[in-house]
Each structure stands twice: as structure tokens, then as C-alpha cells.
Amino acid sequence: MSAVSRLALSFACGDYDRTRALAEGEVRPDGIDLTYLRLPVEETFFRMLRHQEFDVAEMSLSTYVHTLDAPEPPFVALPVFTSRMFRHGALYRNTGAGIERPEDLRGTRVGTPEYQLTACVWMRGILADRHGVPLDSVTYVTGGQETPGRVEKARVDLPPGLRTEEAPAGRTLAAMLAEGEIDALCTPRVPSPFAAGDPRVARVFDDVEGAERAYYADTGIFPIMHVVVLRRELHTRHPWVAQSLYKALHRSRDLAYDSLYDTSALRFMLPWLTPQLEEARSLLGRDYWSYGLDANAGVLDTFLRYHHEQGLSRTRRTPRELFVPESLESAVI
């Protein structure tokens, strides 16, 4: 008897505890042979957006929402959030720029590697909502953080009144921040001057953890950064793949939940991992890294409002519009 064939698919994603069981084959999606490629997020996003090289990939939430404005959107998504992160720590300031509080960012020049980065969409929205920094009160400077010449992965058409500039040729945002050519920088990655201890660079929020805890206490939002997308034509040909992958990604995440609370030996090099996990569960709930639409509708709705207000999506979408229907319900016995 011949072996039953399985659908061979590629999946580009970061090296995460919540996807490791899938990457290592401990969890196998029903009917699928999965080739898991561990890649840096920037490379995954670039290759998937520009060339659709993978069948399945994690993708910036902002980038994915932006693609839905295309005449023929190339991707569909699952409500699986491979990256979530509070981003108050993503704001850095030149210590000579006179920025002592977030409110002082009004009237400044703020660098951002790309205007449409999810982390920056969140922080612009939070600054406007909670710290009196309207979107049009800042000049945004785009460019490579550590290497000159970075450009937006996708074209963005910004609303009137927004001021944007490109970094000068040959200049990096990290160097411009240290030398005072920009006043602040919003970036998902730690800029090299800050990592090196350069006294000219500090965070805008001095107490990052305190600010993030206060934000969660007030809003109940644990920001979503990345979703999992499939090439639309793959989903059209094999609609069953969405549910198969969704179930497998759930199982992989649940195994990571369990392994974090194994106190026989520390899984990660964090001395107080167990009490920190217990504290996170106390503050955010046991399913603090939730998947699915229902548990995340409020978070997604806030992001979609920010995305539209910032000129990155033509229409004000609803959370349900983002995901394939096969991933929004399952059989009940």
C-alpha cells in the first residue's frame, strides 16, 4: 500500500517558544508536511511581501492590514499572534533635546525605520490617546536604523498635514539620534548607541515597566504585533489548510505555556522566571497570550482605529474582516 500523501508547505517564522513544537515536529498539522524556516522577522516580512516566497509566514499586523487595500489582496490571515509586546520601551530620546516627558515630543523630529511598522503604529496611537501628542504635531524621519537606505516595504499614502522626511543619504537613524539630528526614535530594536551605554541616548519613558503596567491596567490591551498569513491562492485551492494550521499553532502554544511552568529546571536563563510567570498570569490572566478573535477583538479594534487614523488603511476595518472564516469557528461535540 502506498503512503498517504500530505500537502508540503513552507512556513517562515521566528524562533519562538510558542512555535517551537511545530518547528521541531512535535506538533504536526493534520494533512501537512511543514518545512519551518527560522528567519529574522525583517527578512520574513520583506521576502513574503515582495516575492510571496513562502506558503505561510508570520507578518507584521500593520503590513497585513495595509495589503487588504490592494485590488487583489495577496494574503489571508489566521488569528494567531506570534508576537505580542508592550512598546513603551521602543521610544528613545536624545538627552539634549529637552524631552523629559512623553508630552515633550510635540514639535520634535522623531525617527522611525518605516512609518508603517506595527510597533510605531501602536506608539503613535498611544501618544495621541494618552499623552497629548497628536499625530500631526511631530515630523517623522524614515530610514535605516543601523544601515543607511532602508525604504518602506509597501507604498504608503499619508493624510494631508503629516510631515515626513527621509534620512539623508548615508546616514542612519541611530547615529542621527546620538548626534541630535533627530530628537527621538521609535523603533522595535534597541538602537546601538543605547545598547553601548552612550549617555546621549535614553528612553523617553524612564520607568518602562511601570508605564506598561499602568497602560494595561487602564486599557486591558496587550498589543499584538504579528499575525500568521497564508498566500490567498493557497487558501482558495485548499481551504482546509487554515483550520489545520490554526489547530496546530494552538497546540504548539499550549505546550509552551506548560513548559514555562515546569519548575524542575529553568527553561530559559531568567533567574526569577517562575515568579515572573505567576505575576504575569495574575495581572493578565492565565491565557495572557491568547489566540482567536473573541479574546482579542478589543485589542484589534484599537489597532485598526490607529491604522486608519494614521493614513495606513483606506477604510476603518473591523477585526472580523482580517481573518478567514475557517479559523473563527470549530466543531463542538
Side-chain angles (χ1 to χ4, degrees):
M1 180 181 294
S2 61
V4 176
S5 62
R6 298 164 65 90
L7 183 64
L9 297 179
S10 58
F11 179 25
C13 191
D15 184 13
Y16 305 127
D17 59 350
R18 46 218 173 262
T19 57
R20 191 158 297 144
L22 202 62
E24 295 176 353
E26 183 178 359
V27 170
R28 300 183 69 190
D30 297 335
I32 295 171
D33 277 330
L34 199 65
T35 298
Y36 190 108
L37 297 96
R38 294 179 173 93
L39 297 174
V41 292
E42 294 92 346
E43 180 178 350
T44 296
F45 299 166
F46 181 87
R47 291 171 63 180
M48 189 62 164
L49 185 64
R50 290 294 180 89
H51 306 294
Q52 298 185 36
E53 292 185 43
F54 317 110
D55 298 304
V56 186
E58 74 171 320
M59 182 170 283
S60 152
L61 175 59
S62 175
T63 301
Y64 170 63
V65 174
H66 183 67
T67 68
L68 297 177
D69 281 341
E72 297 182 6
F75 309 114
V76 298
L78 308 176
V80 169
F81 312 116
T82 48
S83 177
R84 307 181 76 128
M85 194 169 179
F86 295 104
R87 286 299 192 184
H88 292 67
L91 280 171
Y92 300 85
R93 60 186 173 91
N94 178 281
T95 53
I99 300 169
E100 302 298 331
R101 307 172 304 153
E103 290 78 0
D104 296 332
L105 288 167
R106 289 190 298 267
T108 62
R109 289 161 48 80
V110 178
T112 177
E114 295 181 41
Y115 180 81
Q116 61 86 35
L117 292 182
T118 303
C120 299
V121 174
W122 274 114
M123 283 315 303
R124 286 191 296 265
I126 290 169
L127 288 170
D129 275 0
R130 297 172 59 83
H131 299 283
V133 185
L135 190 63
D136 60 2
S137 69
V138 170
T139 297
Y140 304 97
V141 182
T142 62
Q145 178 175 313
E146 307 294 340
T147 304
R150 180 169 175 171
V151 297
E152 299 278 353
K153 286 186 289 294
R155 179 182 174 182
V156 293
D157 296 313
L158 303 182
L162 283 187
R163 298 184 300 276
T164 62
E165 303 174 3
E166 293 182 3
R171 299 291 288 156
T172 67
L173 295 177
M176 292 175 70
L177 178 65
E179 294 170 19
E181 297 173 56
I182 54 176
D183 303 298
L185 175 63
C186 184
T187 174
R189 290 189 179 272
V190 177
S192 53
F194 183 86
D198 190 325
R200 298 174 296 176
V201 176
R203 283 196 166 101
V204 170
F205 289 90
D206 291 329
D207 179 9
V208 169
E209 185 175 350
E212 293 173 346
R213 285 171 179 265
Y215 172 74
Y216 182 80
D218 289 346
T219 66
I221 290 174
F222 181 16
I224 291 168
M225 297 291 141
H226 302 167
V227 294
V228 171
V229 303
L230 291 69
R231 287 189 290 108
R232 185 174 291 270
E233 58 87 16
L234 168 67
H235 176 253
T236 300
R237 284 188 291 112
H238 304 290
W240 60 270
V241 164
Q243 182 67 215
S244 184
L245 286 170
Y246 184 60
K247 288 162 53 181
L249 285 156
H250 252 280
R251 291 198 299 271
S252 183
R253 184 213 57 179
D254 289 348
L255 287 172
Y257 266 149
D258 293 342
S259 66
L260 274 176
Y261 208 41
D262 179 357
T263 59
S264 62
L266 288 174
R267 187 167 179 83
F268 299 100
M269 295 183 295
L270 292 170
W272 293 282
L273 173 64
T274 300
Q276 288 172 350
L277 173 60
E278 291 170 345
E279 184 179 23
R281 286 177 168 182
S282 175
L283 292 172
L284 281 70
R286 292 186 67 85
D287 190 18
Y288 57 88
W289 205 289
S290 57
Y291 290 171
L293 176 60
D294 291 344
N296 292 285
V299 179
L300 291 163
D301 190 61
T302 297
F303 179 83
L304 291 169
R305 172 168 64 87
Y306 290 165
H307 203 262
H308 180 57
E309 289 173 350
Q310 295 174 28
L312 291 167
S313 44
R314 287 197 296 268
T315 60
R316 172 73 160 82
R317 298 188 180 278
T318 66
R320 184 168 290 272
E321 291 178 73
L322 303 184
F323 306 112
V324 292
E326 295 89 348
S327 65
L328 299 180
E329 57 184 2
S330 58
V332 176
I333 297 175

